Amino acid sequence: MPATHRTLILALLLVAAGSLAFATGAAVVDGPADTVADGDLAIERADGPNGRYAYLNDDEIAIDVSASNPNIEDLSFEGVNVGTTGTIDDVFTVTYTADEYAHVWIEYPSENVTFVVDGDSIEGEANNVTLAPNETVTVGLALDTRGTAAGAQLGADELSIEAKIAEPEEVDATATGASTQGTADGGPTKTVASPSADRREFVASGVESGAEVRFRADGMPIDRDNVTLEGIDLAGVRNERVELNAVGSPVPFANGSALTAPTRPRPVGYLSLAHEFAPDAVDAMTIRLSADRDYLNATGTDPADVTLYRQTDAGDWEAVSVEVVDEAVVDILGLPEDRVHFRATTTEFSTFAVATREPRFDVTAATVAPEAIDPGENVTVRATVRNGGGAAGERAVTLTVDGNSVASEMVALAPNETATLSFDETVSAAGAYDLAVGGTPAGTLLVGDPGGDPAGGEGSNSEATGGDGESAETASGSDAASSAADTEAGPTEEPGGIEFVELGGLLAALALAVAGLALFRRMPRS
């Protein structure tokens, strides 16, 4: 296939300020396209906002990130920023339309502009992408404008798109392309194609009824190298031939939804599995995954908290049990020891999300008693805390007064466990204070007479009386005394047997602007 040179209007005019949009897009050959390499490659602008930087100029693709681009209607747009680095994803697509695999790359002499696919350069034959028949790859730009001046033009005027037929021995499962995976005598013939780094196409033929078929994915990225697909095992196969396509992505697929579950797991990546056989033709499927050990440590992820979710036909997400492969088994199988290996078995084929369980602490209720006190008296704030997440954890739960922190308690809870916390405070000055625990309102505390004399001043005990002669303040005071007595009886103990001991002292000194909060002080320990 001959090289084809194309005009690059890459004016990329530099400005001192401004920003560029970043988006994702996909493309198929369904409209005008620039065809090169004897018509075997079709180049189109990508769908999405960044596709506007590419257009056909006399039937040739042109890339223009400047005000001269006829697709840019924003009159204030001048170009890209000076002294920065960044990427413009999904500018144009290259689709291979012939019947054999081909290596495709771009030749372009520029230190400031690099053509990239999934963040990796495709400039030079050594950085080629291998495309299967009718396969499409989306190309973006990586920019480095450091050391340039406003008004400059980046890059050369022409780019060269080159392609050549991939020889069979050059196409293997460790890169992109296809390979035949070895089997025992009389076993099925298995072929694994890798149209791109994050895609695998599995085919097995000559399968005996009830046999097991094991495919190697050899580290197909799900979240880059952080989490990868290592293989797919099919048990109880009753078809003579099975086909299965896998695609990994660190973000939700365009035709699906993001992972949602009551326990709020943190999604790590997504795996789509499409099959060409009836669901009852296979008894079960085991998904083999691995995660970089350093990545798990850096994110504070316990391997036991890694799990898998499957999206149902209704769009809901169901948890799939995940097993951490024992280190002794890893050693026996000769698996990489710098990675943690996982296995998950399911009977359903669908879109999956790799996620990690995390604790989720919510304050479900908060109260203050009594709601009115005299200066110098004690008030108790109680709160119920629940861990609604999928993992055990420890959190600091904070009492705030008028939005400012005055005290905190550490709480350790297992999943679905609750605890009741108690904050005992003494308030020395009159005022109206809004109290909250963990952001959940506990109520307003009235101390004395916020607009005048303290509630405990002269004449406050019996001057204002009700019909039976008992003052409203006296009745409230009795309730407060009863509440205080209950509080002093001892620490709250949960049904599960966990006792939570209060921490003494304020969290930190308060600024002078909120010095009034120092009027709240913890009760001394008995």
Side-chain angles (χ1 to χ4, degrees):
M1 298 179 187
T4 303
H5 294 272
R6 284 295 177 262
T7 301
L8 187 66
I9 304 179
L10 252 173
L12 283 168
L13 294 179
L14 302 177
V15 295
S19 62
L20 289 174
F22 296 91
T24 59
V28 294
V29 184
D30 58 0
D34 180 6
T35 56
V36 300
D38 296 330
D40 292 339
L41 295 177
I43 298 92
E44 298 178 283
R45 57 175 291 180
D47 290 340
N50 293 345
R52 62 181 177 167
Y53 298 120
Y55 59 91
L56 291 180
N57 182 24
D58 293 332
D59 296 327
E60 294 185 353
I61 195 70
I63 313 297
D64 188 355
V65 189
S66 76
S68 65
N69 188 324
N71 295 326
I72 299 177
E73 299 178 355
D74 184 359
L75 298 179
S76 65
F77 180 81
E78 297 180 84
V80 297
N81 299 341
V82 170
T84 62
T85 61
T87 59
I88 306 177
D89 295 326
D90 305 331
V91 177
F92 64 95
T93 64
V94 179
T95 300
Y96 178 61
T97 60
D99 296 330
E100 300 176 85
Y101 284 86
H103 298 314
V104 178
W105 68 94
I106 291 176
E107 296 289 352
Y108 182 64
S110 173
E111 296 180 354
N112 302 108
V113 182
T114 303
F115 289 89
V116 295
V117 172
D118 294 330
D120 296 326
S121 170
I122 60 165
E123 294 185 6
E125 184 175 359
N127 297 319
N128 73 84
V129 292
T130 303
L131 300 184
N134 299 317
E135 189 71 25
T136 297
V137 66
T138 305
V139 182
L141 305 175
L143 308 177
D144 186 346
T145 64
R146 293 173 295 186
T148 57
Q153 176 174 323
L154 299 182
D157 293 331
E158 288 188 338
L159 64 93
S160 173
I161 303 175
E162 304 198 20
K164 72 175 186 178
I165 296 295
E167 299 297 331
E169 61 269 18
E170 296 177 323
V171 183
D172 56 43
T174 60
T176 55
S179 71
T180 298
Q181 298 184 350
T183 60
D185 292 341
T189 299
K190 297 179 296 183
T191 301
V192 178
S194 306
S196 61
D198 57 358
R199 297 174 63 92
R200 296 291 186 271
E201 298 174 354
F202 305 105
V203 178
S205 59
V207 182
E208 293 184 3
S209 180
E212 179 185 33
V213 177
R214 294 172 55 89
F215 293 111
R216 296 195 315 268
D218 293 328
M220 185 193 84
I222 293 177
D223 176 21
R224 297 170 291 277
D225 188 53
N226 296 331
V227 179
T228 57
L229 175 68
E230 300 301 329
I232 299 287
D233 302 338
L234 303 179
V237 179
R238 284 178 290 278
N239 277 14
E240 186 274 337
R241 176 185 174 89
V242 290
E243 297 183 24
L244 182 67
N245 296 335
V247 182
S249 172
V251 298
F253 295 106
N255 61 345
S257 59
L259 171 63
T260 57
T263 56
R264 299 183 196 170
R266 176 175 62 87
V268 175
Y270 294 81
L271 173 66
S272 174
L273 296 177
H275 55 89
E276 298 294 332
F277 50 84
D280 59 0
V282 172
D283 287 342
M285 172 182 65
T286 297
I287 301 171
R288 292 182 278 121
L289 308 166
S290 77
D292 180 70
R293 196 178 296 275
D294 291 338
Y295 165 76
L296 296 179
N297 293 335
T299 55
T301 302
D302 187 334
D305 290 331
V306 174
T307 189
L308 197 66
Y309 285 82
R310 185 188 70 84
Q311 190 171 33
T312 67
D313 292 339
D316 300 324
W317 292 91
E318 296 179 344
V320 178
S321 178
V322 173
E323 170 193 2
V324 180
V325 179
D326 187 84
E327 292 184 1
V329 177
V330 170
D331 182 59
I332 293 172
L333 297 178
L335 302 176
E337 295 182 358
D338 60 342
R339 303 186 69 80
V340 180
H341 299 265
F342 306 90
R343 292 165 54 91
T345 300
T346 177
T347 58
E348 303 286 347
F349 296 75
S350 180
T351 295
F352 296 84
V354 182
T356 176
R357 303 182 190 93
E358 294 190 335
R360 191 195 83 216
F361 281 64
D362 297 308
V363 176
T364 58
T367 60
V368 56
E371 296 179 347
I373 62 172
D374 291 334
E377 289 187 343
N378 177 48
V379 64
T380 298
V381 181
R382 287 189 174 89
T384 300
V385 184
R386 179 177 182 270
N387 179 6
E394 186 178 40
R395 291 289 185 274
V397 181
T398 302
L399 169 66
T400 59
V401 177
D402 293 336
N404 298 283
S405 173
V406 297
S408 181
E409 302 282 1
M410 291 299 296
V411 183
L413 294 174
N416 297 318
E417 189 176 15
T418 62
T420 299
L421 303 183
S422 178
F423 297 89
D424 289 336
E425 305 290 336
T426 298
V427 190
S428 60
Y433 303 94
D434 291 328
L435 308 181
V437 180
T440 298
T444 299
L445 173 66
L446 299 178
V447 181
D449 182 0
D453 295 332
E458 183 179 354
S460 63
N461 288 334
S462 59
E463 290 297 325
T465 62
D468 58 0
E470 181 180 4
S471 68
E473 288 81 355
T474 301
S476 176
S478 292
D479 293 340
S482 174
S483 175
D486 292 341
T487 301
E488 295 173 359
T492 302
E493 184 173 327
E494 285 301 295
I498 298 179
E499 188 175 88
F500 297 91
V501 181
E502 302 168 23
L503 301 179
L506 295 175
L507 274 182
L510 302 180
L512 181 62
V514 291
L517 294 177
L519 300 172
F520 280 76
R521 66 178 186 274
R522 307 306 298 268
M523 289 292 291
R525 297 287 171 254
S526 57

